[in-house]
Amino acid sequence: MKTFQILKTKNKEAGFSLLEYGVGAAVILTVVFIAMGDLGNSMSGLLNSIGGWAEQRAGEIDGQ
């Protein structure tokens, strides 16, 4: 009888299953994907602003 109890206790698993790891990875990838998209749009706007400013300054220099 003791052998059965040891085996029964030994088979208990404490931890995450493959499904839980998969769901966690999907959530993390979704958050990263959204963040990278927003960051890309922000960087594009910033670089366009810098380009416009540089063009304006170059035009002022050529005009002098």
Side-chain angles (χ1 to χ4, degrees):
M1 193 61 131
K2 279 191 169 186
T3 307
F4 178 70
Q5 286 179 336
I6 291 172
L7 291 176
K8 188 175 179 184
T9 306
K10 195 174 187 181
N11 287 334
K12 287 185 181 178
E13 294 182 21
F16 297 111
S17 68
L18 183 60
L19 178 63
E20 291 168 326
Y21 280 117
V23 169
V27 169
I28 291 170
L29 287 174
T30 302
V31 169
V32 168
F33 183 74
I34 291 170
M36 292 300 284
D38 287 344
L39 180 63
N41 290 336
S42 297
M43 289 300 291
S44 176
L46 175 65
L47 293 175
N48 284 333
S49 296
I50 292 171
W53 174 82
E55 240 179 80
Q56 180 184 4
R57 295 295 295 167
E60 291 173 4
I61 293 171
D62 284 341
Q64 290 181 346

